[in-house]
Amino acid sequence: LRGFNQETKSQGFVRDWLNTRRRPEVLLVADASFGSLQKADDAEQYLVTKGTYADFPNLHTGSDLAKLTRISDANPQQKDYAWGTVELVSWHSADGVPLKGLLYKPENFDSTKQYPMVVYHYEQLSQNLHNYVPPTGRNVINATHYASNGYLVFMPDIHYDEGYPGPSALKSIVPGVNMLLGRGYVDPKGIGIQGQSWGGYQGLYMITQTSIFSAAMLGAPVVNMTSAYG
């Protein structure tokens, strides 16, 4: 079975049994992201991809999941480029609910400087801490692309009160932005927000309730909740 730590976002694999009540056996845990685990039909040999935000998910193999060996180098050109970093951050919502989120930083980040910041939101995103993010152009914020162009990118988790998606986003995201402003390296006049679809709806709500964002781009937002129902 796949294992996931909700606090640290580490991942791995565990073994469990159907005919006993013993605790699952932890086979592998790491600050990394793993693909689908495969096993040879007639041998105790495993194959899986393993990556991080900065490491392309290469193939790893071994007879023991705790001692895997990398056997591919599928993205060698990355060594020629500087790469940003990602940090797991924590704060409390306006209602006191503990929350987590991701903060992507540019390469050669300097905490004594101020950076513009883009907030991208969609329900829960902190579980993606160790996902590799290749720089691509899309209709949503690409953290690696923006970080490489000098932006901070903040992806906060949202705690929902059923029936109040807009206020829930506001009470979750704005305190997270304020927490980062308190660190001193976010330009308070350079904060933008981007959301898509369901996130676009919540972004539209938030910009009517706060002036903390200097720019907003809400893509394909839900604008009629009655027609969207169901």
Side-chain angles (χ1 to χ4, degrees):
L1 301 174
R2 183 182 298 272
F4 186 85
N5 187 308
Q6 295 285 4
E7 288 301 311
T8 66
K9 313 303 176 183
S10 60
Q11 300 182 30
F13 297 96
V14 301
R15 177 182 286 123
D16 202 1
W17 296 264
L18 296 178
N19 59 347
T20 178
R21 299 185 67 176
R22 63 189 285 189
R23 293 179 64 84
E25 175 190 358
V26 177
L27 303 176
L28 170 65
V29 61
D31 291 328
S33 178
F34 295 92
S36 297
L37 183 65
Q38 301 178 62
K39 180 184 176 298
D41 288 339
D42 301 314
E44 195 75 11
Q45 190 74 16
Y46 299 93
L47 182 70
V48 68
T49 59
K50 176 185 178 183
T52 69
Y53 171 63
D55 300 308
F56 187 86
N58 275 292
L59 288 168
H60 290 67
T61 189
S63 58
D64 182 347
L65 286 178
K67 299 177 182 178
L68 295 173
T69 300
R70 181 167 67 88
I71 59 171
S72 71
D73 186 15
N75 194 25
Q77 66 269 18
Q78 185 178 325
K79 71 179 185 301
D80 299 325
Y81 297 90
W83 211 260
T85 60
V86 61
E87 175 189 355
L88 183 67
V89 296
S90 302
W91 71 98
H92 286 81
S93 75
D95 292 333
V97 178
L99 294 170
K100 296 184 184 298
L102 305 180
L103 180 65
Y104 295 87
K105 300 175 182 177
E107 56 267 26
N108 304 315
F109 172 76
D110 184 349
S111 62
T112 65
K113 298 180 179 179
Q114 286 196 332
Y115 295 82
M117 183 171 76
V118 178
V119 180
Y120 177 76
H121 62 285
Y122 194 94
E123 297 182 353
Q124 307 284 310
L125 295 170
S126 65
Q127 71 275 7
N128 299 325
L129 174 65
H130 299 300
N131 286 8
Y132 182 77
V133 183
T136 59
R138 272 204 63 202
N139 55 326
V140 298
I141 294 298
N142 179 279
T144 302
H145 175 78
Y146 273 75
S148 186
N149 282 274
Y151 288 85
L152 296 166
V153 179
F154 178 41
M155 297 189 178
D157 287 348
I158 299 172
H159 172 76
Y160 288 99
D161 293 321
E162 188 172 343
Y164 299 92
S168 296
L170 184 76
K171 291 189 291 185
S172 297
I173 294 174
V174 172
V177 172
N178 285 328
M179 177 273 295
L180 293 175
L181 282 169
R183 294 186 173 187
Y185 49 68
V186 178
D187 179 0
K189 296 182 179 180
I191 303 174
I193 188 166
Q194 205 268 321
Q196 183 77 11
S197 185
W198 180 230
Y201 165 80
Q202 291 158 60
L204 285 176
Y205 175 86
M206 284 191 288
I207 62 174
T208 72
Q209 305 294 313
T210 177
S211 58
I212 199 170
F213 304 111
S214 298
M217 183 273 158
L218 294 319
V222 175
V223 294
N224 185 327
M225 293 299 285
T226 303
S227 67
Y229 182 79

